[in-house]
Amino acid sequence: MATARCLRRVSGRFGAIVKWNGAKLSHSLTDDQQHRRMLQDTAAASAGQLAGPILPLTSLEIPVVRKLEVWDISDATKGLPSLDEVDEAGALDELTEEEALSLEVSRPLPPRADRLSVYAERSHTLRQLVLLGVELWKVERLRGAASMLLRLDFASDVQERLLFLRDVGLQDEDLGPFLTTNPFMLTQDISNLQARVHYLESCGFGRDAVAKMVRGAPFLLNFSIERLENRLGFYQSELGLNAKHVRELMIRMPKLLTRSLEPVKENLKVLQLELGFRPNEVQHMLLKVPKLLVLSKRKLVDVFTLVHATMGLPQHMLVQFPQVFNAKTIAMRERHSYLEHLGLAQYDPLQPLYVSLDRLATTSDDVFCLEVARSSPEEFHDFRKTL
């Protein structure tokens, strides 16, 4: 077995002689007879050194060596230009100014973006909206608004709705703030938008009134006709107002048509049941200050307690001056304390030095000090430090 391994090594060593001549590789191979003679001589030389019987030569595994096909690399390169003939610009070649300006590099949209500004440079729709004054950083805070805008085409989706808003009565400077608040209007069917405007006009709202309402409540035209009708009917029935007064209320505060009705119902209960105002008194206050319907319950109770309990004014004074509910409770309390300190807290209209709730609640600090408290703003400021 050792002899067989030795013979295999010898055969592998001398089986092929490789010569390199330029670019061509040729093989000089021996024939089978020469191989057989070489193996016999090697076996005879090593016979005296091996113990035991020697296997006959015919039993040895003689590898068959076949001629290898010679592959000429020139065959594979036929028809290809030489390196000297290639005239294409490399990555490090200098470009002329004209060549540099003619290059167009297309950048794909990022797979994900948290800001619409990432897309604004490559989106014609976003660029036009920015020119109109739309604040994209506010729009992207609205759920679903960013992806919605990216799917819109300015010519087919946006332009027609902009013309519609102009026909309603919005000016160019109104379009940006309007769409910043309500970009979803751009997905509304144009025929539905026109039908809603016609419905408001049929309810007695004039063209200027509709424009004011749309400007003040940007989501108004997103509401269906049925929903608008239900809202108008709610205020007419719950407040006991006629159609004229309902229109006045909606024109002054159009967001009443788009806000939730639950706070409105809650405030009506507070005014009538907790604070004791009669229905006709509530109507009077609301027509003067519609904001009473959306103020917090705590604000209504705090102002009422200050004016009625602390200052000692009768309830009908609040009906006469409902604007005190819009004032800051802390500021009114400080002014009342200062007037008490000066001996000028006189709220009876039949007495001298009468101070009306309107002047107490709505004037600036300078006017209050000079005309009501008859002192300087510095003295009032020093007094507030003692509270």
Side-chain angles (χ1 to χ4, degrees), residues 157-172:
D157 299 322
V158 179
Q159 192 168 357
E160 185 178 10
R161 286 154 184 81
L162 293 178
L163 294 175
F164 165 79
L165 291 175
R166 289 296 308 275
D167 291 340
V168 170
L170 270 65
Q171 303 301 315
D172 290 343

Side-chain angles (χ1 to χ4, degrees), residues 186-349:
L186 297 175
T187 63
Q188 295 288 315
D189 185 81
I190 196 70
S191 61
N192 291 336
L193 294 173
Q194 294 171 343
R196 292 160 192 171
V197 171
H198 293 158
Y199 169 75
L200 292 174
E201 292 175 346
S202 69
C203 291
F205 294 99
R207 179 180 177 82
D208 293 339
V210 171
K212 183 178 180 180
M213 293 169 65
V214 172
R215 190 182 302 112
F219 285 95
L220 180 63
L221 295 182
N222 288 43
F223 282 54
S224 64
I225 292 178
E226 293 76 14
R227 198 171 182 184
L228 292 174
E229 187 176 13
N230 291 336
R231 292 298 179 95
L232 292 172
F234 167 81
Y235 287 107
Q236 185 168 5
S237 61
E238 292 293 323
L239 302 180
L241 300 174
N242 57 34
K244 178 177 179 295
H245 286 157
V246 171
R247 287 194 295 270
E248 292 177 1
L249 187 64
M250 296 302 109
I251 293 173
R252 293 192 59 187
M253 193 172 182
K255 287 186 178 181
L256 289 174
L257 285 172
T258 59
R259 295 177 67 107
S260 172
L261 294 179
E262 294 305 318
V264 174
K265 296 176 182 178
E266 182 68 19
N267 282 8
L268 288 175
K269 292 180 181 179
V270 171
L271 290 171
Q272 296 181 17
L273 301 180
E274 295 189 27
L275 305 184
F277 291 103
R278 295 189 295 270
N280 62 325
E281 292 176 331
V282 173
Q283 293 175 3
H284 180 79
M285 289 191 296
L286 291 179
L287 289 176
K288 282 190 173 183
V289 186
K291 195 177 179 179
L292 288 176
L293 290 173
V294 296
L295 290 175
S296 67
K297 175 183 177 180
R298 180 177 179 180
K299 179 65 178 296
L300 294 175
V301 174
D302 287 349
V303 172
F304 181 85
T305 302
L306 172 64
V307 174
H308 187 59
T310 304
M311 298 172 59
L313 273 67
Q315 187 169 304
H316 69 83
M317 294 292 289
L318 283 165
V319 177
Q320 187 176 357
F321 299 103
Q323 54 267 30
V324 297
F325 285 101
N326 281 332
K328 295 181 179 179
T329 309
I330 296 178
M332 285 185 57
R333 193 182 301 277
E334 291 175 347
R335 292 185 177 188
H336 169 68
S337 299
Y338 188 54
L339 291 178
E340 279 191 326
H341 172 72
L342 299 176
L344 298 175
Q346 174 55 259
Y347 305 111
D348 186 351

